[in-house]
Structures are given as structure tokens and as C-alpha cells.
Amino acid sequence: MSQVTINDDDVDIVICAIQSDLTSFMEQWRPFFSRFHLIIVQDPDLKSGLNIPEGFNLNIYTKSDIDKIVGASSTSISFSGYSCRYFGYLMSRKKYIISIDDDCVPAKDSNGNPIDAISQHITNLTTPATPFFFNTLYDPYCDGADFVRGYPFSLRTGVDCGLSCGLWLNLADYDAPTQALKPDLKNTRYVDAVLTVPARTMMPVSGINISFNNDLVGPALMPAFRLSKEGKIRWETVEDIWSGMCVKVVCDHLKLGVKSGLPYVWKQERGNAVESLKKEWEGVKLMEQVIPFFQALRLSESAVTAEDCVAEIALKVMEGLGGVDATFARAGETMVEWVKLWKRVRAQ
């Protein structure tokens, strides 16, 4: 099945600016970003202004913009640090959103050619996913591939893909304990493959290099779960892990697919794993408690949109986990608030 042809105007690229000088980052991505509209959200805790080269079609959002849009209506939603990407999701009206962190640059494939991560994400989102029966030859819709013998013909049309999770080379997405114990461990293996994650299978999602169908699952990616000592380095946050579990439950319920694999980016070094371990350990322990909860979570037939699903998950979180730890209760309350904010902004 061929890729669906899309208009470049259907895509927003969201960049969370944690550093002030984006010159090198933007120039390296220029060949791939220049066709599309960009949303750059400055970390509200970043005091200096942004340095961005000319020649891009973009909108920049700063702390004043966040305060103006969100204002006093939100008491718990924070867009600090990497969470500022979610404000970009909130403001986008495009069907497809691609999000890449500002410490990632284009990677190269096994032949030394630069990888067009944007085009690959679009391919992932505009070709069907196969979450209800696993195809052992990876994505059957890729060039040169097809369904294997024994794959049910009734399922070969697939379903819409809601989320595309790209990978990265160099600094892999290990947690702080693993990276601290193995400081020289890098991801140098380029695997030319895309997989659909099976239905009812949970997965850790990272916001470093992802894309999604905003019309289908947009509100399910949200800044809801924050640690009491959360920092700004990747190892010190689990917010995107929580968001990823929520969006996977939403995709499973709405019969949408989630893909993992290509495209790759190259992730630069940032942070100290040993120091970050002190902040992340709380999240490591809490995540162990929530995995069984999300694995068993089922939503009602009345939940027919992503907004419905998030609101229902929030209530179940408060009922099922709220008494375990106050962090879960706050996350549930924030999810309820996020849905209200999403609907209000969309109604404007």
C-alpha cells in the first residue's frame, strides 16, 4: 500500500527550546525543516532570548504567550523544561505534528546518507498500522515488504496510525541507573525497520523524536505527571513515559496503531547521569507501581474521542492510584485540567 500524499501545510514541527542559541541546530535541520511550518516554544524558565537563523516559516512562543493563553485557568499544568513542547501541541491546528528535541541533529544511515526524519515520520503516520496481529517481517507497508504466510487477510487493510516513535543514535534512552553504571554505553546500531507495537502491549515513549496524528490522539499527549524533585535533564523526567502509557491506552481503545523504529536522529550528550539519579529514582519506583494499572486499564464504549479517553483515564487514576501516592492524584487532576484547556483553546 502506498503512502498517502499530504500537503506540507498539514504538518507542524514542534521544537522545545531548552537552550537559547538554536543556530547550529536549525542549520543542520534546514534541508528537512524548510518545507514546513515550525512552532518553537521557549522554556519559560530560560531567561535569555532565542537566537534563530533566518529563512524559516515559524512561530515562537515565550513565557508571556504561555501565561496569556493558559493564564489563571490552570493551577497545575506546567510547561517548564521539556514540558514546553506540549504547549506547542496545544497551539497547533495541523493534522500531523512532528516533535524533535533541540539536542538532536540529523543522523546518517548505514550508507552514510543523512536521514530525512520528517519524511519517514510522515510515511509512518500515513500508512496503516497492524496492532492486532504481528507481522514477522516488520512493517508490511514498507517498500520491498509484505504480509507473511498465515497473516489473516481480514486484517491486512490495517488501521490508522496514531503515533510514530522514532529512535536515536549515540546516547540511547537508558534510565539514569543504567547510564550511570555503563557510562560508555552508546547506541551505534542502525536498524532499517519499523514495527507496529501490538495492541494491549505497553511501551516507554520518549518525546525526543516522535510524531502523531493530532486529529486522532492530540490531547492524549500531555504534561500531567511531574516528580517532586524533577529537573530539566532527560534522566530527571518521567512525564513523557506517563503520557506515552496514556496515549497507548487511547490508541488501543480507539483501534489505532503505534509504530516504533525509523526514523533515527543523532542525540547529543547532555547532563550527568549520576547527579540525575538522585532526582529520577523517585520516578523509577513510582513507574513500577503504575505499569500493572495501565496494563489492566480498559475504557468504556462511551469514550469515543481522545478527549473522552483522557478524561476517563484521569478518573480511573484518581480512583485507583490516588491513594497510593499524592503524585498520582495530582497527575489525575492535571489530566482533567488539561482536557478542559485543550477544549477551550480549540474553541477559540
Side-chain angles (χ1 to χ4, degrees):
M1 184 176 293
S2 60
Q3 176 188 346
V4 176
T5 301
I6 69 164
N7 191 306
D8 291 351
D9 292 335
D10 290 336
V11 178
D12 264 337
I13 299 175
V14 173
I15 301 162
C16 54
I18 306 301
Q19 56 185 330
S20 58
D21 190 355
L22 296 180
T23 304
S24 177
F25 169 82
M26 297 291 287
E27 291 297 352
Q28 292 186 73
W29 281 106
R30 185 182 291 275
F32 310 113
F33 283 180
S34 57
R35 291 168 42 202
F36 303 98
H37 177 255
L38 311 181
I39 292 178
I40 299 179
V41 186
Q42 179 177 330
D43 176 5
D45 299 328
L46 189 63
K47 303 305 180 184
S48 59
L50 298 180
N51 188 5
I52 300 173
E54 297 181 352
F56 293 93
N57 174 22
L58 54 81
N59 288 105
I60 300 174
Y61 293 99
T62 64
K63 184 179 185 300
S64 61
D65 298 307
I66 295 174
D67 291 341
K68 180 179 179 181
I69 297 296
V70 180
S73 65
S74 173
T75 58
S76 61
I77 299 174
S78 171
F79 295 104
S80 174
Y82 284 105
S83 298
C84 67
R85 68 161 63 88
Y86 296 102
F87 186 80
Y89 303 169
L90 179 70
M91 299 308 297
S92 176
R93 296 298 185 273
K94 303 295 181 66
K95 182 175 182 178
Y96 301 109
I97 293 179
I98 299 170
S99 184
I100 296 176
D101 279 1
D102 67 350
D103 60 349
C104 297
V105 297
K108 294 182 178 181
D109 63 22
S110 53
N111 294 319
N113 300 314
I115 297 170
D116 184 351
I118 309 305
S119 294
Q120 181 64 54
H121 270 307
I122 292 172
T123 296
N124 290 350
L125 290 176
T126 56
T127 52
T130 54
F132 304 115
F133 203 90
F134 189 78
N135 192 62
T136 52
L137 279 180
Y138 311 116
D139 188 347
Y141 302 102
C142 291
D143 290 340
D146 210 322
F147 292 97
V148 297
R149 182 172 60 93
Y151 200 100
F153 281 89
S154 60
L155 296 177
R156 294 191 182 195
T157 53
V159 298
D160 288 335
C161 181
L163 177 68
S164 167
C165 302
L167 303 175
W168 47 98
L169 299 173
N170 190 35
L171 189 63
D173 198 23
Y174 301 119
D175 52 34
T178 302
Q179 196 67 64
L181 289 172
K182 302 176 180 179
D184 298 324
L185 187 59
K186 307 291 184 183
N187 181 30
T188 60
R189 185 175 58 175
Y190 174 89
V191 180
D192 186 9
V194 177
L195 296 171
T196 293
V197 182
R200 306 302 179 193
T201 298
M202 302 311 299
M203 59 180 291
V205 172
S206 171
I208 289 175
N209 171 27
I210 64 171
S211 65
F212 55 94
N213 186 316
N214 196 22
D215 293 346
L216 298 178
V217 302
L221 291 115
M222 59 202 155
F225 190 90
R226 297 188 68 85
L227 302 174
S228 59
K229 299 179 181 179
E230 182 163 307
K232 291 182 176 294
I233 307 303
R234 173 62 48 190
W235 292 307
E236 300 168 2
T237 67
V238 291
E239 183 176 67
D240 51 352
I241 304 296
W242 176 274
S243 178
M245 288 190 285
C246 291
V247 73
K248 185 59 168 65
V249 168
V250 171
C251 285
D252 288 346
H253 177 74
L254 297 179
K255 294 181 171 56
L256 303 170
V258 175
K259 295 182 182 180
S260 178
L262 299 178
Y264 284 91
V265 297
W266 182 274
K267 192 174 188 324
Q268 312 279 23
E269 303 279 353
R270 180 182 284 179
N272 182 293
V274 176
E275 291 299 316
S276 295
L277 178 57
K278 302 173 185 177
K279 297 179 180 179
E280 192 201 50
W281 185 241
E282 176 192 356
V284 171
K285 293 186 293 183
L286 289 176
M287 286 301 104
E288 293 295 321
Q289 299 182 56
V290 303
I291 299 304
F293 170 82
F294 278 101
Q295 287 175 326
L297 187 57
R298 299 293 184 272
L299 303 180
S300 68
E301 293 183 1
S302 61
V304 296
T305 67
E307 291 97 330
D308 295 339
C309 293
V310 173
E312 191 167 315
I313 293 172
L315 294 178
K316 291 180 180 294
V317 166
M318 289 186 284
E319 294 171 357
L321 294 173
V324 176
D325 191 284
T327 308
F328 298 130
R330 288 193 298 270
E333 294 167 358
T334 303
M335 291 167 68
V336 172
E337 202 167 325
W338 171 257
V339 172
K340 293 178 181 177
L341 176 63
W342 185 276
K343 290 181 177 179
R344 177 171 64 81
V345 171
R346 285 297 184 277
Q348 294 175 352

